[in-house]
Amino acid sequence: MFSSVWNFVKRHKRKFIFTGAVVGGVYFLGKYAQKKMRELQEKEAGDYISQARRQFHFESNQRTCNLTVLSMLPSLKEAIVSQLDSEILTALLKSKPANKLEIWEDLKIISFTRSIVAVYSTCMLVVLLRVQLNIIGGYLYLDNSVNNNTATLAPPEVQQQYLSSIQHLLGNGLTEMMTVVKRAVQNSLGGMSLKQSLSLLELEQQLGWIRAEVESSSERPLPGYMLADEENTLADQACGLTENDIMTIRLLNETRDMLDSPDFTTVLNTCLNRGFSRLLDNLAEFFRPPPCNSAPSSAADSLSAVSLPLAKIIPIVNGQINAICSETPSHFVQDLLMNDHVKEFSANVYEVFSMPQELQK
């Protein structure tokens, strides 16, 4: 019996060798496939965790952006009111001075100027802080997750120095903007009688003309009011630049690149359009027709159904700064913070600066 089995094995030896090789190959291929599958699953799990961590950090950063905007609005309002103080003029009018008409004319220009400047500067504050805090947020994410063994990209001293550049918008930039807006207001409303009546539609047209003059001004584009000129930054210092200074200059230059981008222009214009639309919505509350009147036949009719003398519109416009620069979340500020274009732009900025350098190449 054993000899017959042995003879069978000898006759089919090659088949046994081939079958053994195939079975062994399949076994090792299976093991290799299992290993690669585990590696792929581990990589996918790692990528998912990394993406979830980055998403969580981004959302936390956006909440910080919103809170920072709200915390800075009182300072912005104070800076505007201190330079465009209508309260002094209002107090003078109550004393019935001889130059009453002259004071009213000054109050007209200042009231419109400060409300328009408030819209511009609040929109600029929202989008500028979104850029700055998402650049910093991106670098902080890299510091905490990728560059644990390398130099810190944004140390606290650099963050503080970099974010202090926002003071230009609250200082010299704001003053320059006031000059341009005040001139546009003067050109549009300076010759208009206080007795002249305006409908909401006509008021919207006046604001449109003022915006057109401000935004087409040859003095500087709108982003120029947000950051100091390059020659006025730390780079102008002839010597003594520290490593932190150099890092701050890099951040400022990256911010300027963002401010010069078409996407930023689109987002800022979107915010300005929404801001002035919200301003008109607030003013519309004072242009409602009497309840006994029948409803206007069209939207255009509703905008022109009620007219008010300019002298009555001035106090209404003058008080709008309280709604615009409100530290409590007003409809005006909420519209800007929750704007989809602002959110998408913020995500794009964060994405760029939270990506490791080798992946950007």
Side-chain angles (χ1 to χ4, degrees):
M1 177 179 177
F2 288 110
S3 61
S4 61
V5 171
W6 175 245
N7 289 333
F8 176 81
V9 170
K10 285 200 299 183
R11 285 197 306 269
H12 299 280
K13 180 173 64 175
R14 291 185 179 179
K15 292 182 180 179
F16 278 110
I17 293 174
F18 175 77
T19 302
V22 170
V23 171
V26 170
Y27 174 79
F28 285 111
L29 282 174
K31 286 291 187 180
Y32 180 77
Q34 288 177 354
K35 179 183 176 183
K36 287 299 180 183
M37 184 63 70
R38 283 197 303 270
E39 291 177 354
L40 180 60
Q41 289 173 342
E42 290 172 358
K43 183 179 183 303
E44 288 179 346
D47 290 345
Y48 176 80
I49 293 172
S50 176
Q51 184 63 31
R53 185 185 298 117
R54 185 159 67 161
Q55 182 65 27
F56 177 80
H57 187 263
F58 169 73
E59 292 172 355
S60 175
N61 199 53
Q62 303 324 294
R63 289 191 291 271
T64 300
C65 288
N66 294 344
L67 292 174
T68 304
V69 169
L70 293 174
S71 70
M72 294 192 69
L73 286 175
S75 298
L76 177 61
K77 177 183 174 182
E78 182 181 353
I80 296 173
V81 170
S82 65
Q83 297 189 59
L84 297 170
D85 190 356
S86 60
E87 281 68 24
I88 294 178
L89 299 177
T90 303
L92 286 174
L93 287 174
K94 291 179 180 178
S95 65
K96 299 181 179 180
N99 59 340
K100 180 179 178 180
L101 182 59
E102 181 183 343
I103 295 174
W104 263 106
E105 289 294 331
D106 290 341
L107 182 61
K108 173 179 67 176
I109 301 302
I110 286 180
S111 296
F112 275 89
T113 299
R114 78 176 194 169
S115 290
I116 293 171
V117 166
V119 174
Y120 273 112
S121 56
T122 301
C123 292
M124 291 177 180
L125 182 67
V126 168
V127 292
L128 178 56
L129 281 174
R130 288 282 181 171
V131 171
Q132 289 192 302
L133 291 177
N134 278 296
I135 289 177
I136 288 291
Y139 281 139
L140 286 178
Y141 174 79
L142 291 178
D143 283 340
N144 294 329
S145 61
V146 178
N147 290 313
N148 291 328
N149 299 321
T150 60
T152 302
L153 295 171
E157 297 81 4
V158 172
Q159 295 178 44
Q160 183 176 359
Q161 198 171 21
Y162 167 61
L163 293 175
S164 68
S165 63
I166 196 75
Q167 293 303 318
H168 179 76
L169 176 58
L170 304 180
N172 293 338
L174 189 65
T175 301
E176 293 172 12
M177 190 199 312
M178 287 177 182
T179 301
V180 175
V181 172
K182 189 174 183 179
R183 181 169 59 243
V185 171
Q186 183 68 49
N187 292 339
S188 180
L189 299 173
M192 187 175 293
S193 169
L194 296 170
K195 296 179 181 180
Q196 181 170 337
S197 292
L198 293 174
S199 66
L200 190 63
L201 179 61
E202 291 169 328
L203 191 56
E204 182 180 13
Q205 292 172 339
Q206 293 293 330
L207 290 175
W209 293 333
I210 293 169
R211 277 194 66 184
E213 182 174 341
V214 170
E215 293 169 31
S216 64
S217 173
S218 59
E219 294 189 14
R220 64 170 64 240
L222 294 182
Y225 300 115
M226 300 184 215
L227 283 182
D229 295 332
E230 291 188 55
E231 57 269 21
N232 294 329
T233 63
L234 292 168
D236 193 40
Q237 299 175 4
C239 59
L241 288 178
T242 65
E243 184 177 349
N244 284 348
D245 292 336
I246 294 172
M247 295 173 72
T248 303
I249 291 170
R250 185 199 71 210
L251 290 173
L252 289 172
N253 288 336
E254 289 171 339
T255 303
R256 287 191 184 89
D257 289 341
M258 282 291 171
L259 266 56
D260 290 337
S261 69
D263 287 345
F264 179 85
T265 301
T266 299
V267 171
L268 179 58
N269 285 337
T270 299
C271 287
L272 290 173
N273 291 339
R274 188 66 200 114
F276 279 102
S277 177
R278 174 56 70 176
L279 174 62
L280 283 166
D281 288 345
N282 293 346
L283 297 176
E285 296 296 321
F286 300 90
F287 284 80
R288 292 187 179 278
C292 58
N293 285 10
S294 59
S297 57
S298 69
D301 289 339
S302 67
L303 293 176
S304 56
V306 177
S307 295
L308 296 176
L310 185 54
K312 286 190 176 181
I313 296 174
I314 290 172
I316 299 171
V317 172
N318 185 56
Q320 290 304 306
I321 192 171
N322 297 316
I324 297 169
C325 299
S326 173
E327 60 183 311
T328 56
S330 64
H331 290 299
F332 184 95
V333 177
Q334 289 281 36
D335 280 355
L336 301 179
L337 296 178
M338 298 295 107
N339 185 277
D340 288 338
H341 289 87
V342 173
K343 290 181 178 180
E344 182 180 354
F345 179 69
S346 301
N348 291 338
V349 174
Y350 184 87
E351 179 77 18
V352 169
F353 289 94
S354 64
M355 187 181 299
Q357 291 294 322
E358 60 268 19
L359 296 180
Q360 296 183 29
K361 296 177 182 179

